[in-house]
Amino acid sequence: MKNRLYKILKPIKETQSIRGVELPVGLEFRQLVVTGPPGAGKTYYINQIRGWPNEGYLDLSKRGWWKNQSLIYRPREIHLGIPYKGFPESLTVFDQEWLDALPENLEIDYSRIRIPPLAGSFFGTNWRDRYIFEFMIPDAEIIYERRRNRQKEGYFPVDANLSLEVVARQIEQYSAVALYLHRAGLNVYIRKTLEQPPMLISEKGVGALPPWAVADIVPRTNLKSLAGWKELFLKQGKVPWFTVNAAIQILDGAGRISHDGKSFDIIIGRRHLRISPEIPLGASKRYLRQNKNWIIRKPETCSDRTLRGFARIMPGQTIQLGRANKVYDDLFDFKKDVAKRHVSITNLKGDLLIKPLDSDYPVRIVRLDNEDNREQINATRIASMLEARSLLGGSISMLEKRSALALILEVNEILAEEPYRPRDAHGLPGGLLEIPDEPTPVIVGDLHGMVDNLLKILTESCLIQALQDKSAILCILGDAVHSENAQEMENMDSSILIMDLILSLKRRFPANVFYLRGNHDDFDPELSKNGIPQGLLMKRALETYRGNSFVEAIQTFYDRLPVMMFSPSFIAVHAGPPRVGTTREQIINIRENHAIAGELLKNRLKRPHYLSGYGKTEIRALRQMLGAAKPTPVIVGHTPLDPFGTIWQNAGSIKNHHIVYSSHQNGPGLFIRIKGKMVPLSYPYEPLAKLINKMKRSS
């Protein structure tokens, strides 16, 4: 098999030792992205240099892959999705479709590989310089022997049915991609082993070093430092400070607005947008120093009963507002009096740099409220917090025994006649929930006892008011119980409290709050986390607090729950789709189909070390089973892909397949429909239970 890199690799002579590994001089540690075929030694390498332990995935055919969240944390191991002719979606070299295909049918479609852009302006990001890709490509015999040995230990499914020919083909594919990215102008080098120096691709026969690998390189301006900005200003002219006041002012050129804790409005066309510092309630000074985010949203109150999204600008980030930006156009509903590219906003360590982009379309700035965000809560938020407190009768705390039993019995009666659920063969509400498209859906993932996250969701974006007005539907994808915090896994108090809240919501809004069953919604003694039998502990805690009658009622609640939700806007399930061939009738009659129920509650996305999971085929079959349009989003919980995020869009390189995780200790994620599209939102953590309980009743 042809070695595409034969005779064009030259050792890099100037190297530096980082944690015992020789890396090119000039390479910044956080630029490094490590990739290569299975068994190349990527995981060992990342552990050696103490990079991020979780694997990432990049679909090279996806627009903007260079902004993928997998690249936020570096150095990190990355698997590549490669586009092939005749295959509509990219494949990894361990996908079953790739392994089953004949070698002659696996021709890389280079025309579909997207290349990061160069900076379009001085302020723009040169994405080609942000990353340096290290391709680990040992000899085929070395990888083959390594994978044979680890297969004997029985914990790497990607090594099943292994052959030297397959290994050689996988190496050839990665070599081809490395050469193509190098020719496209990306920073690429090759490493065969950690014991040998890294190598550059040098097709002209000269081992010349690129700028990032030169020891005495003159560093470019670093816009992440104060010194860098001073250098920038000296060269380009200092950007003037802009003082916001109660008078409407036209911004003639670029202006800088300080992070003073106060909101202001920006007016583009007839659209007013409120720009506010994101200051979570109860946040420490240290948190505020490290997280100087801004939020952009429409300033309307909840009186219009319309759920709204928002845009977040984090330090170092630039956004452009205008009709050409589809995401923000959907969020803010721009009219024709807004330019296609109207204004850019950059967060400079908390201060905002605002620059008009079209001289024919003015940008106006005004401050309508001079109060400091750190010292105020708007009336709408206060009303939402008081409504949340009223759910449990006056405080966010566990219900007493008699009230709790009355609540669960009432909810069970609601479930016995729950709307939007086709009846099964026994005349009972079936496992499928088919909601109408008119109310705005809000999709919440696993909460795992994070009471404050549920309260945050309820009290933001006018959700609780929208539930009262029947203009929203809240759907929780199961697993609200059983903490994943290592220190709290055995404590069931938060699980009991969060279920009291959810049951109270169901009683208050029976046709607008729905809960799908998850794998943790069970008393199974085998249900455990880190060896802790959480199912059994939950049952014992409920017996202690509330008695056997309550435990029996909760079991009835579990048994009556739906397992799948479907509307013209989305499909939702706790874990993942069932196997191909499952019918709609089987989902409705889920009580008779235990194997299918197990898949819906426990299945996981297929990954390099979990090849038995679901993939593109099952997602496609799920849409077909329900008669859903091809782009209908499929939203699941159950399987967070790394410990850092709350939302994973197009997870597993499956278009419109998203994972949402709402129990992160830094705050919840969710999906909300805006202008017909399911839009992800995330909120920062707030200790709301404590704060709500401190509020005066007269607030």
Side-chain angles (χ1 to χ4, degrees):
M1 186 171 293
K2 181 181 178 182
N3 183 352
R4 294 173 183 263
L5 301 178
Y6 182 63
K7 290 187 177 181
I8 62 172
L9 294 179
K10 302 294 181 181
I12 298 175
K13 296 180 180 179
E14 296 187 48
T15 61
Q16 57 185 330
S17 178
I18 298 180
R19 293 170 181 161
V21 177
E22 294 300 311
L23 293 169
V25 168
L27 177 148
E28 294 181 12
F29 193 60
R30 283 184 52 78
Q31 287 179 285
L32 186 60
V33 177
V34 179
T35 189
K42 301 183 296 295
T43 302
Y44 175 82
Y45 178 25
I46 290 297
N47 291 336
Q48 178 75 11
I49 60 176
R50 301 175 192 171
W52 294 98
N54 299 85
E55 303 165 340
Y57 173 83
L58 289 181
D59 179 354
L60 295 178
S61 69
K62 182 180 177 183
R63 184 187 300 273
W65 60 257
W66 45 92
K67 300 179 184 179
N68 190 290
Q69 61 186 6
S70 293
L71 294 174
I72 294 175
Y73 303 97
R74 303 183 299 274
R76 190 177 191 178
E77 173 185 356
I78 294 291
H79 298 284
L80 298 182
I82 304 170
Y84 291 91
K85 294 181 180 179
F87 293 82
E89 297 183 27
S90 294
L91 303 175
T92 67
V93 297
F94 44 79
D95 278 343
Q96 197 60 47
E97 289 175 273
W98 191 94
L99 295 170
D100 291 341
L102 296 173
E104 56 267 29
N105 294 334
L106 288 171
E107 182 181 355
I108 297 177
D109 189 352
Y110 293 107
S111 66
R112 289 163 54 197
I113 295 181
R114 297 182 181 271
I115 301 301
L118 294 168
S121 66
F122 193 88
F123 287 97
T125 299
N126 187 342
W127 291 101
R128 297 189 196 180
D129 284 345
R130 172 159 290 193
Y131 311 114
I132 296 175
F133 288 85
E134 176 176 330
F135 280 74
M136 294 198 69
I137 307 180
D139 293 333
E141 292 76 12
I142 293 176
I143 292 182
Y144 177 67
E145 189 62 26
R146 184 182 296 163
R147 292 175 64 180
R148 281 187 61 199
N149 289 335
R150 72 182 189 182
Q151 178 64 12
K152 295 175 183 177
E153 300 177 38
Y155 64 94
F156 279 94
V158 294
D159 296 337
N161 303 316
L162 186 65
S163 70
L164 182 59
E165 180 187 3
V166 168
V167 172
R169 286 170 51 207
Q170 292 172 333
I171 288 176
E172 196 275 337
Q173 299 295 286
Y174 268 86
S175 298
V177 171
L179 183 58
Y180 180 81
L181 295 181
H182 164 75
R183 290 172 174 172
L186 275 71
N187 298 310
V188 172
Y189 70 91
I190 310 296
R191 188 191 295 274
K192 298 189 72 171
T193 70
L194 293 184
E195 293 73 31
Q196 297 178 0
M199 294 176 288
L200 283 174
I201 299 174
S202 180
E203 293 186 270
K204 296 181 181 180
V206 178
L209 297 181
W212 50 267
V214 178
D216 58 352
I217 183 174
V218 177
R220 57 180 176 165
T221 302
N222 181 2
L223 299 186
K224 296 181 180 179
S225 68
L226 178 60
W229 279 103
K230 287 181 177 178
E231 179 184 346
L232 170 65
F233 293 152
L234 290 174
K235 292 179 180 179
Q236 301 293 325
K238 188 172 182 179
V239 178
W241 290 97
F242 186 87
T243 302
V244 185
N245 54 44
I248 297 177
Q249 303 176 74
I250 294 179
L251 188 64
D252 294 324
R256 188 170 180 173
I257 297 175
S258 66
H259 188 286
D260 59 0
K262 299 178 182 179
S263 301
F264 64 91
D265 281 21
I266 185 170
I267 306 169
I268 54 176
R270 287 170 290 175
R271 172 61 66 200
H272 283 240
L273 296 176
R274 179 69 45 81
I275 303 182
S276 307
E278 185 177 48
I279 303 177
L281 299 176
S284 66
K285 291 182 179 179
R286 180 180 179 183
Y287 175 91
L288 296 177
R289 285 195 300 268
Q290 296 175 346
N291 298 271
K292 293 187 176 182
N293 301 332
W294 290 79
I295 295 295
I296 305 178
R297 67 173 83 226
K298 294 180 183 179
E300 291 92 350
T301 66
C302 288
S303 59
D304 60 9
R305 293 298 190 264
T306 300
L307 293 177
R308 304 184 303 276
F310 57 85
R312 176 181 287 110
I313 316 177
M314 297 182 290
Q317 185 179 14
T318 297
I319 68 169
Q320 288 186 1
L321 298 179
R323 289 184 290 115
N325 190 317
K326 186 62 176 172
V327 173
Y328 298 127
D329 190 28
D330 288 341
L331 279 175
F332 303 129
D333 192 23
F334 295 134
K335 306 302 181 185
K336 289 186 177 180
D337 56 1
V338 173
K340 289 184 177 180
R341 297 174 65 253
H342 202 117
V343 61
S344 73
I345 305 175
T346 300
N347 186 332
L348 307 178
K349 290 191 174 181
D351 297 336
L352 292 183
L353 177 64
I354 302 179
K355 182 180 179 181
L357 299 177
D358 192 320
S359 58
D360 294 330
Y361 292 83
V363 175
R364 297 178 174 88
I365 306 289
V366 65
R367 175 162 283 151
L368 301 178
D369 189 340
N370 202 38
E371 293 186 22
D372 192 313
N373 280 37
R374 285 166 282 203
E375 299 174 353
Q376 65 158 326
I377 309 176
N378 65 47
T380 298
R381 188 85 196 282
I382 291 175
S384 297
M385 293 166 72
L386 291 174
E387 283 293 333
R389 186 170 69 181
S390 71
L391 289 170
L392 295 178
S395 68
I396 307 299
S397 57
M398 285 192 294
L399 295 171
E400 55 89 19
K401 181 177 179 179
R402 183 175 301 177
S403 298
L405 182 58
L407 173 63
I408 184 62
L409 292 176
E410 190 171 346
V411 169
N412 283 345
E413 289 302 312
I414 293 171
L415 291 180
E417 302 292 333
E418 192 168 36
Y420 309 133
R421 293 173 64 181
R423 301 287 167 151
D424 64 14
H426 302 285
L428 301 173
L432 182 62
L433 182 65
E434 296 180 322
I435 66 169
D437 201 35
E438 185 175 348
T440 301
V442 178
I443 312 299
V444 177
D446 306 28
L447 285 161
H448 285 300
M450 287 294 291
V451 174
D452 288 325
N453 283 5
L454 176 58
L455 293 171
K456 178 68 173 176
I457 292 167
L458 290 173
T459 60
E460 285 283 3
S461 299
C462 305
L463 176 57
I464 202 162
Q465 289 87 352
L467 291 174
Q468 292 172 331
D469 197 49
K470 297 181 170 39
S471 60
I473 285 183
L474 173 64
C475 180
I476 302 172
L477 303 184
D479 280 13
V481 296
H482 303 164
S483 174
E484 295 200 327
N485 186 327
Q487 289 75 38
E488 299 177 5
M489 285 186 178
E490 297 184 50
N491 189 336
M492 295 296 136
D493 287 5
S494 64
S495 295
I496 296 173
L497 174 55
I498 202 167
M499 286 310 301
D500 284 350
L501 274 168
I502 291 171
L503 293 171
S504 297
L505 283 166
K506 184 63 180 177
R507 178 170 63 183
R508 179 83 65 90
F509 312 111
N512 293 84
V513 172
F514 297 95
Y515 186 90
L516 301 187
R517 188 168 187 175
N519 63 302
H520 279 260
D521 298 308
D522 204 311
F523 294 135
D524 187 350
E526 299 298 319
L527 178 60
S528 66
K529 190 81 170 182
N530 291 354
I532 297 171
Q534 290 182 311
L536 184 59
L537 290 177
M538 182 69 170
K539 182 177 182 180
R540 290 175 178 173
L542 289 174
E543 288 172 341
T544 300
Y545 285 123
R546 293 173 175 175
N548 291 330
S549 296
F550 187 89
V551 172
E552 293 173 1
I554 283 288
Q555 184 62 61
T556 300
F557 169 77
Y558 291 154
D559 294 340
R560 291 183 179 179
L561 288 173
V563 293
M564 184 180 294
M565 190 176 194
F566 172 54
S567 87
S569 297
F570 69 94
I571 303 168
V573 65
H574 172 68
R579 63 180 178 271
V580 175
T582 301
T583 66
R584 178 176 177 273
E585 288 68 31
Q586 287 175 317
I587 300 297
I588 293 172
N589 290 278
I590 198 66
R591 296 178 182 87
E592 312 298 327
N593 295 283
H594 300 293
I596 296 174
E599 292 176 345
L600 297 174
L601 272 57
K602 299 178 181 179
N603 208 355
R604 295 190 187 275
L605 176 65
K606 185 184 298 183
R607 288 171 292 168
H609 304 314
Y610 194 84
L611 294 180
S612 61
Y614 68 88
K616 302 171 188 175
T617 301
E618 288 76 15
I619 292 291
R620 188 184 306 117
L622 175 62
R623 294 188 180 112
Q624 293 173 349
M625 175 189 73
L626 295 173
K630 185 177 180 180
T632 302
V634 175
I635 302 174
V636 303
H638 188 58
T639 309
L641 297 187
D642 60 53
F644 313 110
T646 59
I647 302 283
W648 295 267
Q649 292 183 269
N650 302 311
S653 189
I654 305 174
K655 193 172 183 179
N656 291 318
H657 163 249
H658 313 311
I659 297 175
V660 57
Y661 180 63
S662 301
S663 56
H664 201 290
Q665 294 183 36
N666 291 335
L670 55 86
F671 276 89
I672 181 173
R673 190 183 66 210
I674 297 174
K675 292 188 70 173
K677 297 182 179 180
M678 299 306 296
V679 177
L681 298 178
S682 61
Y683 295 113
Y685 170 78
E686 291 179 340
L688 283 178
K690 183 186 299 184
L691 295 174
I692 289 174
N693 285 339
K694 288 182 178 180
M695 293 175 67
K696 296 180 181 179
R697 294 184 181 276
S698 59
S699 296

